[in-house]
């Protein structure tokens, strides 16, 4: 481990990032002056990065002055695990102590064998199965030279095709493949017969196109050239390509483009060479950048990080093209034993700690941070890359264009930003066209905090050189500018509304069309950090930009309830008429407290609640009011039950006088499976959670009437006052429905208020299973939740009373709002909330569009399908069904084939991994002391095939987790 001086240790202990005391001093010190005196003019990095490195550890570098830098260059990608990784250091020490030579030509050793085995495990399995390894000289250029020779001798052809922007090394052969004309301007006699092809470069597309269209045009050009007997280009022995161009400006090749290139080369008998010398070994979010394309090359060139920080290069190629004769390509230092040890250890650590995936996560965090900076400045033309290999292309901040209509590059500004960043403790490289791309290639162990430092340093560097984007008002006066944020009446008063709704609709349409998983899979901590980095309110943007940002940041990282694999909670995909209603609700912005704030809305809500009361079997004395959902409805039911019993017992008016002395004797009766809002409501009502007496249930999960009656008798014998009994029509976990007639009989016998929590199962009243709710018409109050099996958007519920006079317990008249003499209805008279949304419109529009019969049929379908899904689970040997479904939930667990596993921990991990990886959103609960997974079926559009696929996904995931735990 590196030994920093005490003061440096103190700095690093206080912060994992450089601690700045003003700008770093970049004037040449003695070491830099000595280098300038003795070293050739060929030196390059010290000219742009005048730093004499004294010590380094992880991602941090200390110079000879004691100044500390965050290094996002890392030896041009060589130091994939940063400087002086302790495990690599220890492996090297052990190798040195073992007495094995530093290098052994190509004579084998245990270290070499271990390296090869680790490399084969690191490669994609389908590539490794048919691969041979060739050790080359210590530089990547030698690996490319070997690949060229192998391709030519295998095919018998001499032509090689490379790409615009390519970089493959600085030897005679590799420079011939280089795109940069300036570097090879004075070179004569470079390797002949090299032809250059267009590389997909969105910002500077040679066809003047953008995105996929430009890339496909390039493929067409290549394929057309190879098929044209007048093209003048002989069929090449090989096409060599970097899956992510590094020196060319950090330009990633699209996966489909690489896939098509593989097809073209195979059809024409051309070898495909991937140069992953810079982009390989975990940097791009996979072990190798080409993996996302799902193909394999004929030859893979590796160097830099494959040696774990020490010199090494090699080829991996299909054994069918192993046409070498002994000694046809050699190199004295191809047996570098220390590099084999450090390389094997580096790959082992990356595999063991899943660091390639970490690079994908932290790389996405860095990319989004760079994009946020780009939004604030005029000098960034594009942010691009893959994983932790990212580039920022700098352009003229004045917005000038070149003759092709592209942003004008700004090489001098790029150099200035690089130096200004260095002054602020950040080391970054540059490259690309005209040297106008700032390049990030940090070690893949970089942390979010260190990335935050890098982003801050870059932003400050840019701000020191470039004026930020001006914030201009579109109208002359501040007051006039406010108008654009509102809907107005009159001609063109709603143009902004139309534009905002259209853009939002198109954005959501595109989001839903492109969604292929229930969650993006973005690491939760990264998502939190990205939302935090949005800098809420600090830099107001146009509404168009805000909608776009919301789509990318919020929409794409939301739980997509419409996806077939999102099936965890009582959380339904909303119906279209209700979604349309939301637009009316928000734009009209009616407040449901007084008629003069909600004219038509008042009558609509009353009409819907009247309809509901009739459906549930109540007479004209009944009434209801909309609530935010089951929690508020249950609270209101118990509130009125409490005030009613107190009024009956002692004539006491709770509303005016508060709770009587005997209030601590009041008790609520419910089953052990009742919703937790029984306890929550009792607490809010001043009775305390202990006032709720939970009685036993039958084996089917419904309330035991015998236990309930015994509890009532026992409470009365103790001098306590049971005043309400709650029946549940659909318990949260298993959907059990109490025998409501039995509950009503018990309530009637003992003079109890009967409340029914029908938040989950209330929709059965519309279905052919309505008889399961028999007895609900005898209840004093009923909770209904429309955002469950009525398929409404959250939030939307109601509480119904058999006797509307009981709303008097919460009625209060205010002179400014609902005067006692008012003739027109004010719905605040019936609600514990003052301002309420016009949620009844969602139910109104749904009933007008879909109708109650169709809604009931959907509920019937869900109940039938639930039984079928339970049967699917029951038929799979790796799953165990834990309960017979009562409504639309399926409770089960993964058991697997290894009976020695901790099934509770395993199933917890399955749910969590499925969620954070974006594979599925399933529920978790406990059944008979066993951790259970839960499907909640609330999407009538799903097929059994959807559930087959979901079970396959969970089975695969469970197997993976079980295997890792062995």
């Amino acid at each position: 481990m590196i030994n920093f001086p005490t003061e440096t240790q103190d700095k690093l202990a206080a912060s994992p990032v450089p601690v700045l005391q003003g700008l770093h001093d970049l004037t040449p010190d003695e070491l830099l002056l000595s280098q300038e005196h003795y070293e050739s003019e060929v030196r390059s990095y010290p000219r742009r990065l005048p730093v004499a490195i004294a010590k380094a550890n992880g991602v941090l570098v200390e110079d000879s002055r004691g100044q500390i830098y965050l290094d996002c260059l890392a030896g041009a990608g060589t130091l994939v695990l940063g400087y002086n990784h302790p495990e690599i250091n220890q492996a090297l020490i052990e190798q040195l102590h073992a007495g094995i030579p530093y290098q052994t030509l190509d004579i084998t050793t245990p270290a070499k064998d271990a390296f090869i085995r680790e490399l084969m495990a690191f490669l994609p399995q389908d590539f490794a199965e048919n691969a041979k390894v060739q050790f080359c000289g210590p530089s990547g250029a030698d690996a490319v030279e070997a690949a060229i020779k192998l391709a030519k001798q295998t095919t018998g052809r001499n032509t090689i095709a490379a790409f615009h922007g390519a970089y493959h090394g600085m030897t005679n052969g590799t420079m011939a493949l280089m795109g940069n004309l300036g570097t090879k301007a004075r070179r004569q006699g470079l390797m002949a017969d090299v032809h250059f092809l267009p590389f997909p470069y969105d910002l500077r597309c040679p066809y003047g196109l953008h995105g996929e269209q430009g890339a496909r045009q390039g493929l067409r050009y290549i394929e057309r050239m190879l098929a044209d007997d007048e093209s003048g280009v002989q069929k090449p022995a090989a096409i060599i390509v970097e899956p992510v161009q590094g020196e060319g400006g950090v330009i990633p090749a699209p996966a489909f483009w690489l896939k098509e290139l593989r097809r073209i080369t195979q059809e024409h008998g051309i070898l495909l060479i991937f140069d992953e010398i810079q982009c390989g070994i975990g940097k791009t979010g996979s072990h190798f950048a080409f993996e996302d394309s799902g193909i394999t090359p004929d030859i893979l060139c590796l160097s830099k990080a494959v040696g774990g920080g020490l010199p090494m290069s090699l080829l991996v190629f299909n054994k069918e093209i192993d046409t070498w004769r002994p000694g046809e390509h050699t190199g004295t230092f191809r047996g570098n034993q220390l590099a084999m040890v450090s390389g094997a250890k580096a790959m082992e650590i990356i595999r063991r700690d899943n660091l390639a995936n970490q690079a994908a996560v932290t790389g996405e965090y860095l990319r989004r941070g760079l994009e946020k900076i780009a939004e604030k400045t005029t000098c960034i033309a594009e942010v691009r890359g893959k994983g932790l290999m990212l580039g920022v292309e700098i352009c003229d901040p004045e917005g000038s264009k070149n003759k092709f209509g592209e942003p004008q590059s700004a090489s001098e500004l790029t150099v200035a930003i690089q130096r200004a960043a260095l002054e602020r403790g950040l080391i970054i490289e540059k490259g690309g066209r005209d040297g106008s791309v700032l390049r990030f290639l940090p070690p893949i162990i970089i942390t979010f905090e260190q990335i935050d430092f890098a982003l801050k340093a870059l932003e400050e560097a840019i701000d020191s050189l470039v004026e930020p984007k001006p914030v201009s008002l579109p109208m002359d006066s501040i007051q006039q500018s406010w108008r654009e944020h509102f809907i107005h009446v009159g001609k063109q008063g709603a143009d902004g509304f139309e534009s905002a709704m259209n853009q939002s609709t198109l954005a959501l349409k595109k989001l839903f069309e492109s969604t292929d998983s229930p969650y993006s899979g973005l690491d939760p901590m990264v998502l939190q950090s990205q939302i935090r980095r949005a800098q809420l309110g600090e830099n107001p943007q146009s509404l168009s930009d805000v909608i776009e940002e919301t789509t990318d940041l919020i929409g794409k990282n939301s739980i997509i309830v419409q996806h077939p694999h999102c099936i965890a909670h009582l959380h339904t995909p909303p119906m279209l008429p209700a979604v349309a209603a939301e637009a009316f609700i928000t734009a009209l912005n009616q407040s449901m407290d007084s008629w003069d704030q909600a004219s038509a809305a008042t009558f609509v809500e009353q009409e819907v609640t009247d309809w509901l009361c009739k459906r549930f079997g109540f007479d004209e004395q009944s009434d209801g009011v909309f609530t935010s959902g089951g929690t508020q409805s249950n609270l209101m039911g118990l509130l009125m039950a409490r005030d009613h019993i107190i009024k009956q017992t002692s004539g006491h008016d709770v509303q005016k006088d508060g709770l009587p002395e005997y209030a601590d004797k009041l008790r609520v009766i419910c089953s052990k499976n009742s919703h937790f809002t029984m306890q929550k409501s009792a607490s809010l009502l001043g009775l305390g959670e202990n006032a709720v007496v939970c009685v036993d249930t039958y084996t089917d999960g419904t309330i035991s009437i015998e236990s309930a009656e015994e509890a009532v008798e026992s409470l009365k014998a103790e001098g306590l006052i049971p005043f309400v009994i709650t029946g549940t029509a659909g318990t949260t976990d298993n959907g059990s429905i109490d025998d409501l007639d039995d509950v009503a009989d018990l309530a009637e016998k003992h003079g109890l208020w009967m409340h029914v929590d029908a938040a989950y199962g209330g929709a059965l009243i519309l279905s052919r299973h309505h008889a399961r709710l028999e007895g609900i018409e005898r209840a004093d109050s009923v909770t209904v939740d429309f955002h469950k099996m009525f398929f409404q958007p959250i939030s939307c519920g109601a509480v119904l009373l058999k006797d509307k006079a009981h709303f008097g317990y919460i009625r209060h008249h205010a002179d400014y709002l609902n005067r006692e003499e008012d003739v027109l209805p004010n719905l605040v008279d019936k609600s514990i909330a003052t301002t309420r949304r016009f949620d009844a419109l969602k139910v109104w529009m749904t009933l007008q569009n879909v109708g109650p019969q169709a809604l009931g049929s959907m509920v019937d379908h869900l109940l039938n399908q639930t039984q079928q899904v339970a049967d699917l689970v029951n038929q799979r040997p790796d799953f165990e069904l834990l309960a017979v479904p009562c409504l639309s939930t399926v409770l089960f667990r993964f058991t697997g084939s290894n009976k020695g596993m901790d099934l509770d921990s395993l199933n917890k991990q399955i749910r969590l991994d499925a969620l954070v990886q974006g594979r599925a959103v399933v529920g978790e609960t406990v059944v008979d002391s066993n951790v259970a997974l839960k499907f909640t079926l609330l999407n009538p559009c799903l097929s059994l095939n959807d559930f087959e696929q979901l079970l396959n996904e969970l089975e695969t995931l469970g197997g993976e987790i079980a295997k890792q735990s062995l």
Side-chain angles (χ1 to χ4, degrees):
M1 196 69 175
I2 190 166
N3 294 314
F4 284 97
T6 303
E7 62 273 16
T8 302
Q9 289 178 358
D10 291 342
K11 292 179 191 175
L12 295 178
S15 174
V17 299
V19 178
L20 303 181
Q21 303 293 331
L23 300 180
H24 281 354
D25 182 1
L26 299 183
T27 57
D29 65 3
E30 184 180 349
L31 284 172
L32 288 165
L33 292 173
S34 176
Q35 180 185 32
E36 183 179 352
H37 178 75
Y38 288 109
E39 268 194 55
S40 164
E41 291 297 313
V42 78
R43 69 191 187 284
S44 60
Y45 284 108
R47 299 179 188 277
R48 301 188 302 275
L49 303 171
V51 174
I53 297 177
K55 297 183 177 71
N57 184 49
V59 188
L60 302 180
V61 167
E62 182 189 353
D63 72 6
S64 52
R65 287 191 172 94
Q67 301 173 134
I68 297 176
Y69 301 82
L70 186 79
D71 187 357
C72 285
L73 172 58
T78 302
L79 301 162
V80 67
L81 296 180
Y83 293 91
N84 290 296
H85 192 285
E87 290 188 65
I88 293 178
N89 283 359
Q90 185 60 37
L92 290 171
I93 290 169
E94 291 174 1
Q95 174 73 3
L96 289 170
H97 287 169
I100 295 176
Y102 299 153
Q103 67 89 14
T104 62
L105 302 173
D106 60 357
I107 299 170
T108 196
T109 66
K112 184 175 187 178
D113 185 68
F115 173 85
I116 293 173
R117 292 180 185 277
E118 184 59 50
L119 174 66
M120 289 301 177
F122 200 79
L123 289 164
Q125 184 177 356
D126 55 344
F127 187 34
E129 285 174 352
N130 298 299
K132 285 290 187 74
V133 179
Q134 176 183 351
F135 291 88
C136 304
S139 74
D142 192 60
V144 176
E145 290 279 5
I148 294 168
K149 289 163 66 174
L150 178 60
K152 288 183 175 182
Q153 72 190 25
T154 299
T155 63
R157 299 191 288 270
N158 198 51
T159 300
I160 301 290
F163 288 90
H164 301 164
Y167 179 88
H168 300 287
M170 298 290 283
T171 59
N172 186 69
T174 57
M175 283 192 74
L177 306 174
M178 179 189 293
N180 190 311
L181 296 174
T183 305
K184 58 184 182 181
R186 299 195 299 161
R187 310 281 79 80
Q188 301 296 323
L190 295 177
M191 182 178 69
D193 287 335
V194 176
H195 294 275
F196 287 88
L197 306 171
F199 192 83
Y201 185 4
D202 191 20
L203 187 67
R204 305 190 188 281
C205 175
Y207 306 104
L209 304 172
H210 297 284
E212 183 175 332
Q213 189 178 5
R216 291 199 179 279
Q217 190 66 25
L219 289 167
R220 185 182 188 281
Y221 171 84
I222 295 170
E223 193 161 18
R224 190 71 188 82
M225 179 194 76
L226 293 171
D228 188 355
D229 59 359
E230 291 285 340
S231 70
V233 178
Q234 293 182 331
K235 182 179 291 188
I239 294 179
I240 184 168
V241 62
E242 301 158 272
V244 180
Q245 287 191 346
E247 304 297 327
V250 194
I251 309 171
F256 79 86
W257 185 87
L258 289 174
K259 197 169 187 176
E260 282 295 284
L261 191 63
R262 173 74 285 187
R263 175 188 63 78
I264 292 168
T265 53
Q266 286 178 330
E267 288 179 2
H268 288 270
I270 300 167
L271 298 185
L272 180 60
I273 304 172
F274 282 165
D275 178 348
E276 292 229 13
I277 289 168
Q278 188 168 108
C279 63
I281 317 299
K283 300 184 198 72
T284 60
S286 304
H287 285 179
F288 299 96
F290 72 80
E291 289 186 68
D292 289 345
S293 64
I295 62 169
T296 56
D298 296 299
I299 304 173
L300 177 64
C301 302
L302 298 175
S303 187
K304 293 190 186 290
V306 78
L310 295 181
M312 173 186 283
S313 77
L314 52 87
L315 298 184
V316 185
F317 52 82
N318 190 313
K319 61 186 178 183
E320 293 180 3
I321 62 169
D322 188 9
T323 58
W324 290 113
R325 293 174 183 171
E328 277 195 311
H329 190 89
T330 63
T332 301
F333 293 101
R334 66 192 185 277
N336 185 341
Q337 296 299 292
L338 291 178
M340 291 175 185
V341 169
S342 57
K345 180 56 69 174
M347 287 186 287
E348 175 194 333
I349 294 168
I350 293 169
R351 282 202 309 131
R352 180 195 70 203
D353 297 342
N354 200 18
L355 293 183
N357 182 67
Q358 180 175 314
V361 171
T362 50
E364 175 71 6
Y365 182 67
L366 175 56
R367 184 181 66 81
R368 285 186 176 271
L370 295 171
E371 288 172 345
K372 293 295 293 184
I373 295 173
E375 291 172 3
K376 302 174 189 175
T377 185
T378 57
C379 73
I380 296 180
E382 188 174 53
V383 175
R384 57 178 177 260
K386 198 172 184 182
L388 279 171
M389 189 173 178
L390 297 169
V392 177
E393 182 147 353
I394 303 300
C395 64
D396 178 16
E398 299 300 321
S400 62
K401 306 286 186 182
N402 61 22
K403 66 179 182 180
F404 303 107
E406 304 160 349
Q408 183 65 53
S409 58
S411 56
E412 292 182 4
L413 177 59
T414 308
V415 172
I417 294 173
Q418 183 187 33
R419 185 177 180 88
L422 191 65
E423 290 176 331
R424 290 159 176 81
L426 175 64
I427 298 175
I428 48 177
E429 174 61 309
K430 73 176 196 67
R433 268 47 170 208
D434 299 319
S436 292
V437 178
L438 296 170
R439 300 174 55 210
F440 286 79
L441 200 63
I444 62 177
I445 58 169
I446 192 169
T447 66
F448 295 127
E449 188 173 359
Q450 290 168 335
I451 290 173
D452 285 341
F453 174 87
L455 292 169
K456 183 173 183 289
L458 179 66
E459 186 169 7
E460 290 180 356
I462 291 173
D463 288 346
S464 72
L465 297 164
V466 180
E467 289 291 327
K469 279 183 180 177
V471 179
S472 59
L473 294 173
M475 298 185 183
D476 294 336
S477 72
I478 294 176
Q479 187 175 12
Q480 280 294 97
S481 72
W482 294 340
R483 290 183 57 82
E484 70 175 276
H485 304 304
F486 294 88
I487 303 171
H488 307 279
V489 298
K491 188 177 181 181
Q492 298 179 328
D495 285 355
F497 170 75
E498 180 184 29
S499 175
M501 292 299 290
N502 285 342
Q503 186 181 354
S504 299
T505 301
L506 289 173
L508 286 167
K509 179 177 184 291
K510 185 176 181 180
L511 172 66
F512 288 128
E513 289 175 345
S514 61
T515 293
D516 57 5
S517 64
Y519 174 63
S520 65
L522 186 64
D523 184 276
M525 298 308 297
V526 177
L527 177 57
Q528 182 185 38
S529 298
Q530 288 179 356
I531 291 174
R532 186 174 65 244
R533 281 195 60 81
Q535 298 176 309
L536 181 63
E538 290 186 18
N539 298 287
Q541 310 165 54
S542 69
L543 179 54
S544 177
D545 288 345
V546 171
I547 292 171
E548 185 176 343
E549 177 189 53
T550 301
T551 305
D552 290 338
L553 182 58
I554 311 302
K556 290 181 180 178
N557 295 305
S558 293
I559 303 299
I560 306 299
V561 298
Q562 292 83 359
H563 194 278
H565 290 184
C566 184
I567 198 158
H569 301 287
L570 288 166
H571 190 170
T572 178
M575 302 192 84
L576 285 174
V579 174
E582 288 283 4
F584 280 89
I585 293 168
T586 55
L588 294 173
N589 204 31
Q590 307 291 282
S591 179
M592 301 305 298
D593 24 357
S594 60
W595 190 90
D596 59 2
Q597 297 180 80
S599 50
T602 297
F603 298 135
V604 168
E605 179 168 324
Q606 190 62 61
E607 187 70 18
V608 174
T609 52
D610 287 348
W611 176 85
L612 278 169
C613 287
K614 290 177 184 177
R615 278 285 180 169
F616 281 96
F618 293 153
D619 60 24
E620 293 182 355
Q621 279 299 108
S622 62
D623 200 359
V625 70
F626 268 67
T627 67
S628 63
T631 298
Q632 187 180 352
S633 296
N634 286 339
L635 174 64
M636 289 181 68
L638 265 61
L639 184 155
M640 285 178 275
R642 179 201 67 182
D643 290 6
H644 182 65
I645 189 63
I646 291 173
K647 185 78 169 178
Q648 283 187 325
T649 301
S650 60
H652 196 85
D653 187 338
V654 175
Q655 189 181 34
K656 297 291 191 295
D657 304 322
L659 293 174
E661 291 182 359
Y662 59 83
D664 61 345
K665 296 182 178 181
L666 296 176
R667 293 294 182 267
V668 176
I669 309 296
C670 62
S671 85
K672 290 180 178 179
N673 287 339
S674 294
H675 198 263
F676 74 90
T677 50
M678 293 298 107
Q679 286 85 350
K680 188 171 184 177
S681 297
S683 171
L684 293 172
L685 293 173
L687 306 179
E689 291 188 1
N690 291 334
V692 179
V693 178
C694 298
V695 302
D696 289 335
T697 60
Y698 299 127
T699 55
D700 63 358
T702 62
I703 189 170
S704 166
I705 293 299
E706 294 80 7
S707 296
E709 179 144 26
E710 184 179 318
V712 172
E713 298 284 4
S714 175
L715 291 169
K716 286 182 176 181
E718 295 176 34
L720 300 175
I721 308 172
F723 71 99
V724 62
I725 183 167
T726 297
T728 305
T731 57
T732 305
D733 278 341
N734 200 34
S736 302
I737 298 175
D738 293 340
D739 188 322
L740 300 179
D741 259 333
D742 283 353
V743 174
D745 289 342
L746 182 62
E748 188 176 315
K749 178 179 178 181
H750 292 279
L752 305 178
W753 180 287
M754 177 183 173
H755 177 73
V756 175
D757 179 0
Y760 182 8
L764 290 182
I765 206 71
L766 305 179
S767 82
R768 60 183 177 84
H769 296 277
H770 58 83
R772 295 177 66 183
L773 298 180
E774 193 169 324
I776 200 169
E777 72 282 356
R778 300 169 65 188
D780 295 286
S781 55
V782 175
T783 287
V784 184
D785 243 1
F786 302 106
H787 52 242
K788 293 185 172 64
M789 294 185 81
F790 284 85
F791 315 112
Q792 300 297 292
I794 292 170
S795 60
C796 191
V799 61
L800 308 179
L801 296 185
K802 183 165 63 177
D803 185 351
K804 60 187 173 185
H806 292 146
F807 276 124
Y809 293 123
I810 61 172
R811 185 174 296 118
H812 182 92
H813 293 285
D815 291 339
Y816 79 95
L817 186 65
N818 59 328
R819 294 146 296 272
E820 201 161 357
E821 69 273 11
D822 282 351
V823 176
L824 293 170
N826 299 304
L827 297 186
V828 72
D829 293 349
K830 301 189 291 182
S831 177
I832 61 173
T834 307
T835 303
R836 289 189 298 113
R837 299 176 81 247
F838 182 19
D839 287 318
L841 184 63
K842 295 185 282 195
V843 181
W844 167 280
M845 289 181 65
T846 299
L847 290 172
Q848 293 294 82
N849 174 232
V850 181
Q853 185 174 352
L855 287 173
S857 296
M858 293 177 194
V859 174
D860 291 336
H861 168 77
L862 287 175
L863 268 59
N864 180 58
Q865 190 175 63
T866 301
Q867 300 298 326
Q868 295 174 315
V869 172
D871 189 51
L872 289 179
V873 172
N874 219 12
Q875 291 176 17
R876 289 180 174 242
D878 285 347
F879 290 105
E880 178 185 4
L881 188 68
L882 295 176
V884 176
C886 296
L887 256 181
S888 67
T889 55
V890 180
L891 303 174
F892 65 102
R893 64 176 178 172
F894 177 82
T895 56
S897 55
N898 187 340
K899 301 306 178 185
M901 294 182 293
D902 179 351
L903 294 182
D904 285 352
S905 298
L906 175 60
N907 282 274
K908 283 177 178 286
Q909 196 64 44
I910 289 173
R911 183 198 69 84
L912 183 61
D913 285 3
L915 173 62
V916 299
Q917 294 175 22
R919 297 165 76 165
V921 181
V922 298
E924 177 190 321
T925 188
V926 175
V927 178
D928 296 331
S929 301
N930 296 312
V931 171
L933 301 176
K934 179 168 72 169
F935 289 169
T936 307
L937 280 68
L938 284 179
N939 186 345
C941 302
L942 301 186
S943 67
L944 282 180
N945 185 55
D946 292 319
F947 291 97
E948 287 275 17
Q949 293 178 19
L950 178 53
L951 288 169
N952 289 340
E953 191 75 45
L954 295 177
E955 191 170 13
T956 299
L957 182 57
E960 291 171 358
I961 295 171
K963 186 177 180 181
Q964 291 170 6
S965 64
L966 294 178

